[in-house]
Amino acid sequence: MSAIAIEPSKTHKGENFPVASKLIAPQHRAAILAYYQFARGADDVVDNGLLSPQQKLDGLDAFEATLLGKSEAVAAAKPLRAILAAQKKLSPRHALDLLRAFRMDAVKHRYANWDELMDYCAHSAAPVGRFVLDVHGESEATWPASDALCSALQVINHLQDCAADYRNLDRVYIPGDALAGAGACIGALAGDKASPQLRACLDGLIAKTATLIEAGAALPPQVRDLRLSLETAVIAKLAQRLNQILRERDPLRDEVHLGKAAALGWACVGVASSLPNILRRLARPAWKAAQ
């Protein structure tokens, strides 16, 4: 189908957060970029308004079949398949988990509560961080903090795009009980600006996201690879700043993304914040650091 054959709608450089930035060691970048290409291509299928739900599911099945070597239909899945074949320590698990989330996107347009949204994030966001950690040979003990940080980034993205998702795809990630509790309705997302009720709802979700970011801030010190530790510190700071922007601006009316200059500035803040931890590691005797 044509939706599978097209190039992904954007590259890793267009994301809110670093994807295989220069902080990542060169030997790991190809695997991360292959995973990103797979994810972006599959995401484009479920976001294609010209496709029916069944066509979207069929497209995602083609992604899975190509990834597992049962088909050659999807070009965007082949680089990751090659990486998995070459690096036996990696499995398709995190890509398959991602496809589960995309299948939800194909048929599910509403979320009843925060727990339902977190279940979605467990498949749409957490696998991304886990794959990057696996590429670096990190311990699974890092997964809880990574899951929290990735889920925070996912919710931030949902809140940034809440109006566009509703208008273009009739997809609403804001939990229904959060809207109802604030006295807001889904139709408020079609407005030119957030109503006081919708604003109250968003503020409550932003507060919950801040708790996820706080839990995710534990990740950089847990990561053994120094370069990845810096990368995760940058991502944590960017998440913190993006969440603050959502507090300050109206996603229905205002620009709520970081510009390149601002993103670079906050990336530097993230690096600086992690330097004490990095210096402590470098000062440790090699035998102790290996424990």
Side-chain angles (χ1 to χ4, degrees):
M1 60 192 292
S2 60
I4 302 175
I6 63 174
E7 288 295 316
S9 62
K10 63 180 178 179
T11 71
H12 63 286
K13 295 180 180 180
E15 295 293 345
N16 270 338
F17 52 91
V19 178
S21 78
K22 296 299 183 183
L23 288 173
I24 295 294
Q27 67 268 28
H28 298 314
R29 285 174 55 80
I32 295 171
L33 290 175
Y35 187 91
Y36 175 84
Q37 183 180 2
F38 178 89
R40 172 49 53 195
D43 192 39
D44 285 347
V45 170
V46 295
D47 284 352
N48 189 326
L50 299 178
L51 299 179
S52 69
Q54 187 57 54
Q55 287 174 316
K56 293 176 181 182
L57 293 173
D58 291 344
L60 295 173
D61 287 346
F63 266 80
E64 179 172 332
T66 303
L67 179 71
L68 298 179
K70 300 175 182 178
S71 169
E72 300 296 324
V74 183
K78 293 180 182 179
L80 181 58
R81 184 177 74 188
I83 290 289
L84 296 178
Q87 300 187 33
K88 300 302 183 183
K89 66 178 181 179
L90 299 177
S91 83
R93 170 185 176 180
H94 303 311
L96 296 176
D97 283 345
L98 203 60
L99 289 179
R100 177 175 172 179
F102 290 140
R103 289 184 174 105
M104 292 172 67
D105 280 334
V107 298
K108 184 178 176 68
H109 287 189
R110 302 290 187 269
Y111 290 81
N113 51 50
W114 181 258
D115 288 342
E116 272 196 16
L117 183 61
M118 287 299 96
D119 178 67
Y120 171 78
C121 289
H123 298 94
S124 68
V128 179
R130 292 181 179 191
F131 180 81
V132 173
L133 290 166
D134 279 2
V135 167
H136 285 80
E138 297 290 337
S139 166
E140 291 187 10
T142 60
W143 284 11
S146 175
D147 291 354
L149 182 55
C150 290
S151 295
L153 289 166
Q154 182 73 86
V155 175
I156 288 169
N157 183 259
H158 290 331
L159 297 183
Q160 288 174 320
D161 297 338
C162 61
D165 284 342
Y166 176 61
R167 292 166 184 162
N168 300 332
L169 299 167
D170 189 33
R171 194 182 293 157
V172 179
Y173 295 101
I174 297 175
D177 65 348
L179 284 165
C185 64
I186 286 177
L189 293 169
D192 295 330
K193 63 179 182 178
S195 66
Q197 295 82 3
L198 179 58
R199 182 69 255 179
C201 172
L202 295 176
D203 286 343
L205 297 174
I206 289 165
K208 287 189 173 186
T209 305
T211 301
L212 290 173
I213 295 170
E214 184 178 355
L219 178 61
Q222 296 175 7
V223 173
R224 293 182 306 231
D225 184 277
L226 293 182
R227 297 178 68 149
L228 182 59
S229 180
L230 286 171
E231 176 94 339
T232 56
V234 166
I235 291 172
K237 281 297 179 184
L238 289 174
Q240 186 179 48
R241 178 54 188 152
L242 287 166
N243 207 43
Q244 184 60 37
I245 289 174
L246 282 166
R247 289 186 190 277
E248 299 166 352
R249 304 178 192 172
D250 182 349
L252 272 63
R253 179 189 59 195
D254 305 325
E255 175 60 51
V256 289
H257 294 76
L258 281 172
K260 289 185 178 180
L264 178 60
W266 281 97
C268 292
V269 171
V271 170
S273 71
S274 69
L275 285 179
N277 174 59
I278 298 298
L279 292 174
R280 282 194 298 271
R281 292 195 201 185
L282 294 175
R284 294 171 67 189
W287 63 269
K288 193 170 184 180
Q291 292 182 341

